[in-house]
Amino acid sequence: MKKAFLAAGALIFIGGLLEEPLCAADTNREKRGSNQAAKNAQKFPPTGFPLILEDRFESKTLNRDLWSTSLRVFGRWGDRYHNDSYLNYLSDEDVLLENGRLRLRAEHRNVEGDNPPGVYDYSAGMVSSHDHFSFQYGYIEIRAKFPGGKGAWPCFWLMPQGHHWPPEFDIAEYYAGRKMMHLGLCHGNFPEINWDSDGNTDVDFEGSWNTYGLLWTPERAAWIQNGVVKRETKGPHVPAVPMYVILSNGVSSRIGPSDEPDANTVFPNFFEIEYVRVWGLPTAVEKGK
């Protein structure tokens, strides 16, 4: 059941709605203190955005009308293995629904895989909405807690439904070995690709539940954590194609961004998600009406 959501005609409305800089300083609130983040927090999604998807993971089994557990990204080495930046094989056994949460487990265990064939030292869980749900423009958010330790590599990301690459949105890609959240956009035309990226370390990613979101409008994208804009990019490089959702736990190899696990890395570890919600753009009044 493939769906692609685009609020056509909303450009007139949304262009005016979001024209003010999202990160503009409020001179009346330039105070030091632990409540600064709360002061800077804004309302997301913006008023008028209709909810088009919600999964609160309250069922005992995964919604297979929405999620797949196989990989379809461009350049993969198999449906269960991405590339040699990873040490893990993707396993359905590591996709768990418990106590109203999606728990994507990474485990240190011997796995004999067949797609591609091989023996792997780690397994991990992933869900992907490819060929089931995609959207173009709007706001997407999860509430989640990330695992820690060298080698841990959980990610909340978007890939194009057309199964090409780029683009790619990394909304919240945690390099646990560096305790840094990567906020990135890959754009261009393969093999000439470009990364528009940044990262932050000022949130307790591992010990606390936080919200992570992306506000995506024509030629504009903003990465949001707990209602605070962490980075923003503008221009024609911002994707303008339907994209689907991926939630994945993973184990980084030595050449991966989280380094490889060491003796202090805890297994099993879990990327836990309470909900996924997607809002579309507001429906604009047609010209002349």
Side-chain angles (χ1 to χ4, degrees), residues 92-188:
D92 286 9
E93 295 178 20
D94 294 306
V95 179
L96 309 173
L97 290 168
E98 297 175 341
N99 301 318
R101 297 171 183 170
L102 173 65
R103 306 183 78 217
L104 300 175
R105 180 175 60 196
E107 181 65 285
H108 189 2
R109 64 187 179 105
N110 186 266
V111 179
E112 186 171 347
D114 59 7
N115 195 352
V119 177
Y120 303 81
D121 293 328
Y122 299 86
S123 67
M126 179 212 71
V127 297
S128 169
S129 74
H130 65 79
D131 302 325
H132 296 289
F133 171 82
S134 60
F135 72 108
Q136 183 178 338
Y137 303 137
Y139 178 69
I140 181 170
E141 181 182 276
I142 66 171
R143 187 169 187 263
K145 183 187 290 187
F146 287 77
K150 288 184 67 176
W153 188 7
C155 190
F156 167 34
W157 43 314
L158 304 182
M159 289 289 283
Q161 179 54 51
H163 300 302
H164 53 280
W165 183 79
E168 174 184 335
F169 274 121
D170 293 333
I171 303 173
E173 180 182 21
Y174 189 44
Y175 301 160
R178 298 156 58 184
K179 294 188 178 295
M180 186 189 80
M181 189 66 74
H182 172 239
L183 317 173
L185 168 61
C186 184
H187 61 95

Side-chain angles (χ1 to χ4, degrees), residues 62 66-73 126-133 159 163 244-247:
L62 189 69
L66 176 60
W67 302 111
S68 172
T69 53
S70 61
L71 198 63
R72 285 292 184 272
V73 299
M126 179 212 71
V127 297
S128 169
S129 74
H130 65 79
D131 302 325
H132 296 289
F133 171 82
M159 289 289 283
H163 300 302
Y244 64 88
V245 185
I246 305 176
L247 298 163

